Amino acid sequence: QVQLVESGGGLVQAGGSLRLSCAASGGTFSSYDMGWFRQAPGKEREFVAAISRRNGSRYYADSVKGRFTISRDNAKNTVYLQMNSLKPENTALYYCAADSKYCSDYGCYARRAWRYWGQGTQVTVSS
């Protein structure tokens, strides 16, 4: 059983930055693709970014490309999401996800493609 714990969320003004962290335990971190999703009030959970297990490939939603950067440190069993130039519309509960084993069935942008999930960390961006 894999456990994911997010941290680093908070309140920030528009244009500011935050770095989210997701610490994994209970599995072999380096064997998992990792991802970030977010869910705003009244909206469905949506894909933000993903990184391959060997840090060889990175993927971003069009809305965050150029502002957000996903990275991982396999020695620390941790994946990060650096968020720069934050906008009020980025306000959401951000979730960490692991093991995109069902990408072939649903596509990696789909929630159902990912096997494990954290409980989320809140990011609020004021205008």
Side-chain angles (χ1 to χ4, degrees):
Q1 191 84 314
V2 174
Q3 183 178 1
L4 305 174
V5 180
E6 302 97 333
S7 62
L11 176 64
V12 64
Q13 288 185 308
S17 299
L18 285 173
R19 189 175 78 159
L20 306 183
S21 298
C22 173
S25 61
T28 304
F29 179 78
S30 60
S31 70
Y32 299 129
D33 299 326
M34 299 295 296
W36 288 96
F37 286 69
R38 66 188 178 192
Q39 187 167 17
K43 296 184 178 180
E44 295 184 350
R45 193 172 301 186
E46 65 176 359
F47 173 81
V48 175
I51 187 168
S52 63
R53 56 193 174 95
R54 293 184 175 88
N55 201 23
S57 300
R58 303 181 188 187
Y59 308 91
Y60 298 97
D62 289 342
S63 61
V64 306
K65 198 170 186 178
R67 298 187 297 115
F68 290 12
T69 302
I70 188 171
S71 62
R72 67 191 297 162
D73 186 340
N74 287 347
K76 296 182 178 180
N77 291 348
T78 302
V79 63
Y80 305 95
L81 184 68
Q82 178 68 45
M83 304 184 294
N84 298 328
S85 301
L86 283 162
K87 304 174 181 180
E89 55 262 41
N90 300 146
T91 295
L93 189 64
Y94 282 71
Y95 295 91
C96 178
D99 197 4
S100 57
K101 65 182 297 182
Y102 303 115
C103 285
S104 61
D105 294 321
Y106 305 110
C108 293
Y109 289 1
R111 179 178 180 177
R112 290 190 296 173
W114 298 81
R115 187 176 180 185
Y116 303 108
W117 293 88
Q119 64 180 349
T121 185
Q122 179 67 38
V123 172
T124 302
V125 185
S126 62
S127 59

